[in-house]
Amino acid sequence: MNKVGGIDGNTLLKTADLAAREDFRLGETLVIPGTRTVRGPGGEADLEPRVMQVLMVLADAAGQVVTRETLFQRCWGNVFVGDDSLNRAVAGVRRVAESIACGSFAIETVPRTGYQLIVRSGDRPNPSTVAARSLVSRRTAVAGGIAATALAGAAGIWWIDRPRPDPRFDELMARGEEAFRDGSAFEVSDFRTNHNFRLIKLYEEAVRIRPDSANAWGLLAYFKSLKADGATGEESPSLVADAKAAIGRALEVDPREPNARVAMFLFEGRMLDWVERDRQLRDILATDPNNLPAMAELMPLVQAAGLTRESWMWNERILSASPLARPYLVIRSIKLWILGRVRESDNVIDRVRGLWPDYRFSIWARFLLFALTGRPRAAMAMLDSTDMAEPDMWRAVLEALETRSAASIQSASLACVDVAQRVPVMVNDMVMTLCALGEKEAAFEVTEGFLLWRGKIVSTGQDDGKAMDDYSRRMTQWLFTPPVAIMRADPRFLKLCEEFGLTAYWQARNVQPDYQRYG
């Protein structure tokens, strides 16, 4: 079994074990494991248990490189955590190295491998012999550091002085992680496009400081790809080129960097069929199981294939990492509605609206849930107080849903078809609404025209290429909502799924859509 620095290199280092460990020095800094305290030229700090565990494992290695796998095994054991947990713990050690140790030791990243603790002056860390060393005066420690440095070149000693890391890099990466945790990384300017330019600037600064960081390049590539994906007009080609350059740099440093691979998926993966898109995203998640950008792509894909329960799981995983991510809270509400849990859906969407009254995605969802769950008067009240697109059409629809007269339904159906032809991005709303009105034939005609470009009702508004591209058409979540049950009960629906590629996807994955499996 592997031994590192006299310590079993695979044994879990429990928090309780810290109390039995002797004090030791890292240069001028005294580490007291029993109280999880670090004292150095910059003062004193109490460490979180996990940060102290990571520091101990790195010190136990006596200057050897410690792989990320070893750190996971020794500090977390059998508890499954993602890379973010380790990154935060390492960042905590680095903050102590800078603020308390004043640079007398450092944690260096070994690309694609792990980390190495470097002592710049003073004694070699040996936790088994430091009790006496803890009494050494600061002056003696400094003198010892000078002597050790003088001998380092000839002896090849591992604690040779090296360039000090820039603490700004860790601070920037920590701010980026916080943006994912608080949900601000997912903020969008409309329902489709992330315009989080603040994070682009943040990661641009990070790669200037650490041009060898695949993680920083990958995150920069991801946000630049989102920006390029939402761009239209003359700026689009230059933004695409800029994003692809960042992707290339990330993959040059680490060919498996997950965020860069998601960024590439935004450009190339979406052109592929259902099976290959699914495979690419799951391959990324196999490498990085907690990668939020990959989950954010896979979640709507499986929902669009009618796998609501699986999609729910991915959405909840996103929210477990980012509990206040507004888009995914709204999506939680919509999924609850699809699953038949209307009261719970109301609770979620009302809470989101209470927290963020002006959030447009939640306003749309609240309005649609009222309209399509038998509450047209509540939807009409919202229509009078909010800025909804195509208000005249919605007034006709809500009146028809309320009165159910033949004349009102015919008028509303014609209005829905007109909007479906003029405003392609509203086709999903129009199909659900036509089904709610009982207008199944019109719903099939609009769906065929939108998904397959054929029939009498083909969307003609093609000014916005982003709204009309094939990927947007493949976001068919609306086909599996409650109102569209009247289409799913018709034999033509399976024929439509076969032509659109959904049947091949279900067969390749050996799954059934929820409406077939659960009714």
Side-chain angles (χ1 to χ4, degrees):
M1 185 173 290
N2 182 35
K3 298 274 186 177
V4 179
I7 304 296
D8 187 341
N10 293 316
T11 300
L12 173 64
L13 177 64
K14 300 177 182 178
T15 304
D17 297 335
L18 297 176
R21 303 295 292 272
E22 295 180 333
D23 304 350
F24 63 97
R25 284 190 175 275
L26 297 174
E28 300 177 63
T29 302
L30 175 65
V31 181
I32 308 172
T35 58
R36 303 197 306 273
T37 303
V38 175
R39 296 173 186 164
E44 180 176 313
D46 296 326
L47 304 191
E48 296 178 7
R50 200 72 72 186
V51 175
M52 178 58 80
Q53 286 171 282
V54 169
L55 175 57
M56 290 295 297
V57 172
L58 291 170
D60 286 344
Q64 298 179 35
V65 175
V66 181
T67 67
R68 294 176 68 87
E69 291 75 15
T70 297
L71 285 165
F72 277 125
Q73 180 64 34
R74 294 209 59 203
C75 298
W76 282 269
N78 294 324
V79 178
F80 177 79
V81 296
D83 287 348
D84 284 352
S85 298
L86 177 56
N87 293 341
R88 285 194 293 272
V90 172
V93 176
R94 283 173 166 156
R95 282 192 292 271
V96 169
E98 283 298 317
S99 61
I100 303 300
C102 296
S104 59
F105 74 90
I107 308 300
E108 293 201 352
T109 300
V110 180
R112 297 185 295 281
T113 303
Y115 301 96
Q116 182 180 27
L117 189 148
I118 303 297
V119 177
R120 295 206 173 92
S121 65
D123 300 330
R124 172 176 175 166
N126 186 345
S128 63
T129 61
V130 257
R133 295 187 186 184
S134 65
L135 301 177
V136 177
S137 69
R138 178 178 172 182
R139 179 177 299 177
T140 304
V142 173
I146 294 172
T149 303
L151 293 171
I157 298 175
W158 66 272
W159 63 94
I160 187 170
D161 193 19
R162 299 192 183 189
R164 295 174 61 175
D166 194 325
R168 293 176 300 162
F169 176 81
D170 290 334
E171 292 171 5
L172 289 167
M173 299 303 286
R175 281 164 51 194
E177 290 179 12
E178 183 61 28
F180 278 102
R181 285 195 297 274
D182 67 21
S184 60
F186 301 109
E187 289 305 309
V188 293
S189 62
D190 55 39
F191 296 158
R192 302 177 62 254
T193 308
N194 186 301
H195 280 178
N196 206 321
F197 302 140
R198 176 178 63 87
L199 287 175
I200 291 177
K201 292 183 179 298
L202 183 150
Y203 290 117
E204 284 177 336
E205 178 64 20
V207 297
R208 277 194 288 270
I209 297 171
R210 282 281 306 279
D212 63 335
S213 173
N215 183 226
W217 276 110
L219 287 163
L220 176 61
Y222 172 64
F223 285 105
K224 284 193 171 187
S225 295
L226 286 174
K227 180 179 178 182
D229 188 52
T232 58
E234 295 181 357
E235 65 173 354
S236 183
S238 62
L239 291 175
V240 170
D242 192 29
K244 288 197 169 184
I247 293 171
R249 184 69 183 89
L251 296 179
E252 179 184 347
V253 178
D254 179 1
R256 301 290 290 173
E257 207 294 313
N259 300 297
R261 293 167 65 198
V262 176
M264 183 64 74
F265 175 87
L266 295 177
F267 289 125
E268 298 181 357
R270 290 177 172 183
M271 304 177 194
L272 305 173
D273 62 24
W274 292 85
V275 176
E276 181 59 22
R277 284 185 293 142
D278 184 283
R279 187 200 65 77
Q280 286 192 10
L281 292 171
R282 292 181 195 274
D283 185 53
I284 294 169
L285 287 164
T287 303
D288 182 7
N290 291 315
N291 186 269
L292 290 175
M295 286 189 239
E297 291 294 321
L298 185 59
M299 180 272 294
L301 187 151
V302 294
Q303 178 65 63
L307 304 173
T308 304
R309 285 163 175 79
E310 182 183 350
S311 183
W312 166 274
M313 179 271 292
W314 289 114
N315 196 68
E316 291 303 297
R317 283 189 61 181
I318 293 170
L319 285 171
S320 69
S322 185
L324 294 180
R326 300 189 300 183
Y328 300 99
L329 288 170
V330 175
I331 290 169
R332 174 190 280 172
S333 175
I334 294 171
K335 291 186 188 303
L336 286 167
W337 166 53
I338 294 172
L339 293 169
R341 297 155 63 180
V342 176
R343 177 60 61 188
E344 294 172 77
S345 172
D346 283 345
N347 290 340
V348 173
I349 197 63
D350 288 342
R351 183 58 177 155
V352 173
R353 292 206 63 210
L355 291 171
W356 301 286
D358 298 325
Y359 185 40
R360 290 187 59 81
F361 189 21
S362 68
I363 293 172
W364 167 84
R366 174 72 280 182
F367 175 82
L368 208 66
L369 287 168
F370 276 147
L372 300 180
T373 57
R375 295 173 285 182
R377 289 192 178 184
M380 185 68 80
M382 282 193 67
L383 188 61
D384 292 335
S385 61
T386 56
D387 181 23
M388 298 293 295
E390 304 293 332
D392 292 339
M393 177 273 298
W394 283 120
R395 290 185 197 284
V397 165
L398 295 174
E399 180 183 352
L401 290 172
E402 176 72 20
T403 66
R404 290 290 173 177
S405 70
S408 65
I409 290 175
Q410 181 181 17
S411 176
S413 178
L414 291 173
C416 287
V417 170
D418 174 64
V419 169
Q421 290 179 302
R422 291 188 295 102
V423 191
V425 293
M426 292 186 67
V427 162
N428 56 345
D429 293 353
M430 296 304 95
V431 172
M432 290 187 289
T433 302
L434 286 166
C435 289
L437 292 167
E439 295 291 280
K440 181 175 69 172
E441 295 304 317
F444 265 110
E445 289 180 348
V446 169
T447 301
E448 281 206 352
F450 184 67
L451 296 182
L452 302 173
W453 295 91
R454 71 178 183 216
K456 296 184 295 183
I457 305 176
V458 175
S459 301
T460 57
Q462 301 183 42
D463 293 337
D464 183 359
K466 298 291 180 182
M468 294 295 294
D469 64 17
D470 185 56
Y471 178 73
S472 299
R473 294 172 188 276
R474 288 194 239 183
M475 289 295 96
T476 50
Q477 293 92 332
W478 40 280
L479 287 179
F480 302 97
T481 57
V484 187
I486 64 171
M487 288 180 65
R488 295 194 296 273
D490 190 296
R492 290 174 292 176
F493 185 79
L494 281 177
K495 177 65 174 174
L496 182 71
C497 291
E498 183 178 352
E499 291 189 73
F500 195 56
L502 282 172
T503 302
Y505 172 76
W506 295 330
Q507 291 173 345
R509 286 198 58 200
N510 193 28
V511 297
Q512 287 181 297
D514 285 11
Y515 85 93
Q516 290 181 353
R517 185 175 181 185
Y518 301 103

